[in-house]
Amino acid sequence: MHPILFKLSHRLLSSTLVPSHLSADRFYLHLSILKELELWDDAHQLLSTPPGRAICETSLLVDEIRRQVWKQKGLWAEEKQIAQRRITEKG
């Protein structure tokens, strides 16, 4: 039953006219659904947009999902660069 509900949620989010990146909570929900359905490429695509990157910088929950997506896609080098950039900027 859960996979059907997640697929329905994904269909509704994909067809809505209001983009998910307008709110960090909505963006997190969209990414959570993509993660549950294991749609890693779609999640990566959302996170790679300028609004997605901006939300990652301000929301710890969204950034945690971003790390999980990067891990599933094997993007270790990119994650290392992001971590180094954040350390040097804040340090």
Side-chain angles (χ1 to χ4, degrees):
M1 183 69 157
H2 283 197
I4 293 170
L5 294 174
F6 279 111
K7 287 178 184 178
L8 178 61
S9 299
H10 178 256
R11 185 178 300 156
L12 287 172
L13 279 171
S14 297
S15 65
T16 186
L17 298 176
V18 179
S20 63
H21 59 77
L22 292 181
S23 160
D25 294 333
R26 184 178 173 97
F27 196 66
Y28 173 77
L29 178 64
H30 195 166
L31 289 171
S32 297
I33 291 168
L34 293 173
K35 182 181 119 183
E36 187 67 33
L37 294 173
E38 297 182 358
L39 297 172
W40 305 116
D41 291 332
D42 292 348
H44 182 263
Q45 200 171 23
L46 267 178
L47 288 163
S48 297
T49 63
R53 287 192 300 267
I55 292 173
C56 283
E57 293 292 326
T58 59
S59 172
L60 293 175
L61 290 172
V62 174
D63 195 46
E64 177 63 30
I65 287 186
R66 182 197 59 77
R67 281 193 295 272
Q68 292 171 6
V69 170
W70 262 236
K71 179 181 174 185
Q72 288 296 325
K73 291 189 59 70
L75 300 172
W76 299 106
E78 290 83 355
E79 180 63 27
K80 177 183 172 186
Q81 291 172 350
I82 291 170
Q84 287 177 335
R85 179 182 52 82
R86 286 182 178 173
I87 289 170
T88 56
E89 284 177 0
K90 306 222 181 200

